[in-house]
């Protein structure tokens, strides 16, 4: 007889409980079976293994030498099975899932970096997926249930969607190296108002969502537009090429200024800026992974208010 292939694991588990409880009666209670059923299972296993496992009578219970060795093996086997089961539950708790978010291009943010780092540290099995869009498209996608999370620039919080203010992004008006105003320490706003302008495409659609619209219109720039794009890199390219002046984030333009490709045109001491928000669908529409991401954002804002 091939004992290994014919080994009955249910009988082994019953024996493991019997040996652990040191009693057939207690084992039957733990297993929710009748005492005769458990006793018969022990006898079947002894027959299958062709050896006695337990010395037993009405007053005494003791494992045989062979029975004790088999009990030790069973203990290792079933402890391993329990650990595997726990690992499976742990994986579910880690929440294998996906966090997809939309984001404006070239957003440099230590806060956003920390959000991703902390989330991954706590939930390493979650996959992140990002897609670059302009702020107007991000808001529209969330409103139309085509997305649930988005990092965008807003002049003010939205009325119909949860909007969490994260931090302020500073902007400046820039010109390229070939522009006549390149290198000037200060300029007159009236002179800039006559200059051709490179604009974000969404800033000309009248929706008022992209704060560049507010910034541009507040200074009355862009009466003549020489370039349009929804991509900040293309805006930068046109400004560097000398097609016109335009608004760009300060942090993303430092290297271009150092190389001499761009020049910030200082108009006044008042900084030009716009607020970065996390906009998301109502919490009940978010997946568990996305809800935890929003919770981490709120946690970081509460812990480090100076980051905002």
């Amino acid at each position: 007889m091939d004992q290994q292939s014919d080994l009955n694991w249910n009988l082994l588990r019953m024996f493991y409980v019997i040996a652990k409880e040191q009693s057939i009666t207690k084992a039957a209670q733990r297993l929710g079976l009748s005492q005769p059923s458990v006793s018969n299972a022990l006898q079947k296993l002894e027959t299958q293994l062709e050896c006695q496992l337990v010395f037993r009578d009405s007053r005494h219970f003791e494992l045989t030498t062979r029975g004790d060795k088999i009990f030790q093996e069973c203990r290792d086997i079933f402890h391993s099975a329990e650990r595997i089961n726990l690992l499976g539950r742990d994986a579910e708790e880690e929440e294998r899932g996906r966090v997809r978010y939309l984001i404006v291009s070239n957003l440099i943010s230590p806060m956003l970096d920390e959000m991703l780092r902390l989330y991954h540290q706590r939930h390493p099995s979650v996959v992140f997926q990002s897609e670059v869009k302009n702020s107007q498209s991000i808001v529209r996608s969330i409103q139309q249930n085509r997305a649930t999370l988005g990092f965008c620039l807003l002049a003010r919080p939205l009325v119909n969607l949860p909007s969490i203010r994260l931090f302020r992004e500073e902007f400046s008006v820039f010109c390229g190296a070939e522009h006549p105003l390149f290198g000037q320490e200060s300029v007159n706003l009236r002179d800039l108002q006559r200059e051709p302008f490179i604009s974000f495409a969404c800033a000309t659609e009248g929706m008022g969502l992209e704060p560049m619209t507010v910034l541009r219109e507040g200074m009355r720039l862009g009466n003549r537009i020489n370039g349009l794009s929804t991509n900040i890199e293309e805006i930068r390219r046109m400004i560097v090429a000398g097609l016109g002046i335009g608004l760009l984030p300060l942090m993303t333009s430092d290297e271009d200024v150092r190389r001499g490709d761009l020049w910030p045109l200082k108009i006044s001491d008042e900084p030009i800026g716009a607020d970065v928000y996390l906009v998301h669908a109502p919490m009940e529409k978010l997946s568990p992974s996305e809800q935890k991401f929003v919770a981490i954002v709120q946690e970081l804002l509460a812990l480090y208010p100076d980051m905002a």
Side-chain angles (χ1 to χ4, degrees):
M1 179 177 65
D2 186 349
Q3 291 181 340
Q4 186 174 5
S5 60
D6 293 340
L7 203 58
N8 189 314
W9 291 95
N10 288 328
L11 295 181
L12 275 177
R13 181 157 187 83
M14 284 194 187
F15 167 68
Y16 168 68
V17 176
I18 292 169
K20 191 174 181 182
E21 296 292 334
Q22 291 285 295
S23 165
I24 291 176
T25 302
K26 290 181 180 178
Q29 292 172 349
R30 179 170 175 181
L31 292 168
L33 300 171
S34 67
Q35 184 173 335
S37 296
V38 174
S39 183
N40 288 336
L42 177 59
Q43 290 175 14
K44 285 182 182 177
L45 182 62
E46 288 178 327
T47 300
Q48 186 179 53
L49 297 177
E50 299 178 348
C51 67
Q52 187 175 358
L53 300 173
V54 177
F55 294 119
R56 56 194 181 277
D57 57 37
S58 59
R59 296 186 304 274
H60 182 67
F61 181 99
E62 184 181 352
L63 294 175
T64 64
T65 301
R66 184 67 60 86
D68 185 64
K69 290 180 179 179
I70 293 175
F71 169 65
Q72 300 299 331
E73 293 293 335
C74 288
R75 183 170 59 187
D76 292 342
I77 291 169
F78 293 120
H79 279 193
S80 296
E82 289 173 3
R83 286 195 296 271
I84 291 170
N85 192 34
L86 286 173
L87 286 172
R89 286 203 296 269
D90 288 344
E92 290 179 1
E93 289 173 4
E94 283 176 9
E95 186 130 25
R96 288 178 310 233
R98 185 179 300 269
V99 174
R100 175 178 176 261
Y101 61 87
L102 308 180
I103 189 168
V104 292
S105 64
N106 289 66
L107 182 59
I108 296 177
S109 166
M111 176 182 279
L112 178 54
D113 297 344
E114 178 62 12
M115 291 172 193
L116 299 179
R117 186 202 67 78
L118 183 58
Y119 192 101
H120 178 70
Q121 184 183 67
R122 294 181 182 177
H123 311 287
S125 59
V126 172
V127 176
F128 278 88
Q129 179 182 350
S130 70
E131 183 178 353
V132 175
K133 290 182 176 288
N134 62 55
S135 296
Q136 180 176 306
S137 298
I138 291 171
V139 172
R140 186 186 298 123
S141 295
I142 297 174
Q143 288 173 333
Q144 296 175 352
N145 298 317
R146 290 185 283 110
T148 52
L149 299 171
F151 295 94
C152 56
L153 298 165
L154 297 175
R156 63 187 64 85
L158 298 173
V159 176
N160 58 346
L161 285 176
S163 309
I164 304 172
R165 182 187 178 278
L166 302 178
F167 57 91
R168 187 163 180 82
E169 186 166 31
E170 302 299 333
F171 288 79
S172 183
V173 180
F174 288 89
C175 69
E178 301 299 319
H179 197 279
L181 295 175
F182 189 91
Q184 292 194 22
E185 291 298 326
S186 62
V187 294
N188 189 295
L189 180 58
R190 186 172 298 176
D191 291 337
L192 290 184
Q193 289 170 347
R194 292 194 288 264
E195 289 293 326
F197 196 81
I198 310 302
S199 175
F200 284 84
C202 52
T204 66
E205 296 177 9
M207 296 296 291
L209 288 173
E210 193 70 59
M212 266 66 79
T213 307
V214 178
L215 299 177
R216 177 174 62 85
E217 291 179 353
M219 293 182 289
R220 292 187 226 174
L221 300 175
N223 295 320
R224 181 158 63 93
I225 292 176
N226 268 13
L228 287 169
S229 180
T230 59
N231 186 290
I232 198 168
E233 280 298 318
E234 292 306 308
I235 297 292
R236 174 201 160 278
R237 189 197 309 277
M238 294 181 199
I239 297 172
V240 169
L243 275 64
I245 63 173
L247 283 161
L248 290 171
L250 280 174
M251 288 189 69
T252 62
S253 306
D254 284 346
E255 187 61 32
D256 289 310
V257 173
R258 280 195 292 270
R259 285 199 307 263
D261 294 332
L262 290 175
W263 180 259
L265 298 168
K266 189 173 181 181
I267 304 167
S268 66
D269 292 331
E270 287 295 321
I272 304 170
D275 291 328
V276 177
Y277 283 82
L278 169 63
V279 178
H280 63 84
M283 291 297 284
E284 62 270 16
K285 292 186 178 181
L286 301 181
S287 69
S289 299
E290 293 166 338
Q291 290 176 4
K292 290 181 179 179
F293 184 75
V294 172
I296 282 180
V297 172
Q298 294 169 331
E299 177 185 336
L300 286 175
L301 286 173
L303 285 174
Y304 307 107
D306 293 340
M307 293 179 72

